[in-house]
Amino acid sequence: MKPSTLSLKLVLQTLAIIVCYFLAARLGLLLALDNSNVSPVWPPSGLAFALILVLGYRAWPGIWIGAFIANLAVFTLNQAASPTVNIYMSLSIATGNTLEAVAGAYLFHRFINMELMFEKYQNIFWFLGIAFVAAFISACTGINTLLAGNVINWNESVDVGYTWLLGDVAGIVIISPLILAWSVARREHKEPAFSYRIEFLVNVVLLSALAYFILLSPSETDELADIKTYMLLPFLLWGAFRLHQRELVVLLTIVSILAVLGTIQGKGPFMEQTLNESLLELQ
């Protein structure tokens, strides 16, 4: 492939990453705390993490630019500070978001085999640990930036930082496995049988309906509330024993998204006194 063709491909790829990151950020901001860009679920963290793993470290400029535009748009809309301060804060937070993805991808390559990433339970624990370490980088950068810009005070920093950390971890845990599992499966070029597709579809429909009933129903305080959650396990075990990795990840993603939406809306079995406590109970 000619150098000019490679350059054009890289530019188009970078533009696509910028757009995808920005759209994912807008989705995450729908769940953000009032007048801030701190969300209890931050999909761009999982998207960026997966993109670095799938496309390589060359994806970082698109992530950085997308994060800068997304943060600047929020700060400007909320009039968080002067235009100059908003730009500096956006540059700093975008750097933290990018370092999160790059550091997470480096640790992933260091400790986990990409082809067998979720085949061994040890890799699951490594993945969760890496998600927390990577998210901690972004959260620390973000909180110090907001403090320096006088957007928050020290009394608010703990709650905001806690929400930022959990939001990034949730984004990585929910979004990244979905992209990674389908990326690996695509390289294998295996077409599933028709009966397998029907079985997967039936599982998705039944699990989605039951999860919606359990996780987005009004919060209950009786003992049955916790028991209802375990009604989802037979369908997940069905997927674990009968389905391939990519289809199982789809099932887990559906449950995770519905659980997060229900908890944020004050519904489901994970409700506590505050949103942060509820999200911790959920995780």
Side-chain angles (χ1 to χ4, degrees), residues 155-174:
N155 294 330
E156 301 171 312
S157 62
V158 174
D159 287 339
V160 174
Y162 187 60
T163 302
W164 195 310
L165 177 65
L166 288 181
D168 280 23
V169 170
I172 293 174
V173 170
I174 294 174

Side-chain angles (χ1 to χ4, degrees), residues 2-96:
K2 296 180 180 180
S4 58
T5 305
L6 288 173
S7 299
L8 178 60
K9 181 180 178 180
L10 183 60
V11 170
L12 293 176
Q13 185 181 85
T14 300
L15 291 175
I17 293 173
I18 294 171
V19 173
C20 290
Y21 191 100
F22 181 80
L23 293 176
R26 298 306 302 174
L27 176 63
L29 290 170
L30 295 176
L31 308 173
L33 302 180
D34 292 338
N35 297 320
S36 76
N37 58 346
V38 181
S39 172
V41 180
W42 190 241
S45 61
L47 175 65
F49 183 84
L51 286 176
I52 292 290
L53 287 172
V54 174
L55 301 177
Y57 294 108
R58 65 179 181 275
W60 77 262
I63 294 171
W64 187 86
I65 297 172
F68 168 74
I69 295 174
N71 282 284
L72 182 60
V74 176
F75 285 136
T76 302
L77 182 63
N78 294 335
Q79 298 181 340
S82 66
T84 302
V85 173
N86 286 340
I87 291 175
Y88 281 125
M89 289 195 300
S90 300
L91 290 171
S92 177
I93 294 176
T95 301

Side-chain angles (χ1 to χ4, degrees), residues 212-229:
Y212 184 87
F213 170 74
I214 294 173
L215 301 173
L216 277 96
S217 60
S219 178
E220 301 178 12
T221 56
D222 56 41
E223 295 180 356
L224 292 177
D226 292 331
I227 297 176
K228 287 181 180 179
T229 309

